[in-house]
Amino acid sequence: MAMSDTEMMLRGYGLTTAEIFYRMPDYRSVLNSYIWQDYDIAPDHPRLFKFIEFWQDKIEGPLHSVRFTHRKEISPGEWRNCVGELRLH
């Protein structure tokens, strides 16, 4: 069963964004870029490395470089369930 985005964030996943630079198959001197984004776990980044392995095995454009960033949107200590509401006036 797939987890919702909130469940993933509460389990320690953060948003990972990678900019992948690769060479065009027919024109090796031309660099192109591709943006990849998914929820992943730092510092191992298993989903990012799985995608890079897929790229190297299945896509013809050889990789030049990969630049990525990771940000935790929420952590278990920051989230709390509010049950009531207090109104003034």
Side-chain angles (χ1 to χ4, degrees):
M1 177 182 237
M3 290 186 283
S4 71
D5 292 346
T6 305
E7 288 174 322
M8 291 178 75
M9 287 187 278
L10 289 173
R11 292 183 181 191
Y13 285 79
L15 190 62
T16 301
T17 304
E19 185 175 19
I20 300 169
F21 293 96
Y22 64 97
R23 298 191 183 279
M24 298 296 290
D26 296 335
Y27 303 98
R28 298 293 177 155
S29 59
V30 177
L31 281 178
N32 205 356
S33 68
Y34 177 81
I35 303 295
W36 176 89
Q37 193 173 51
D38 200 358
Y39 287 103
D40 209 351
I41 297 177
D44 296 333
H45 300 286
R47 290 185 176 190
L48 174 60
F49 289 119
K50 183 177 178 182
F51 179 76
I52 291 172
E53 288 174 7
F54 167 79
W55 185 291
Q56 291 173 333
D57 293 341
K58 305 289 183 188
I59 298 178
E60 291 182 21
L63 292 175
H64 175 270
S65 59
V66 177
R67 184 172 59 176
F68 69 95
T69 184
H70 178 83
R71 176 168 168 82
K72 281 185 133 180
E73 301 291 327
I74 189 172
S75 67
E78 297 173 8
W79 187 86
R80 62 189 173 116
N81 187 16
C82 295
V83 193
E85 180 178 339
L86 176 64
R87 292 187 179 198
L88 292 174
H89 304 293

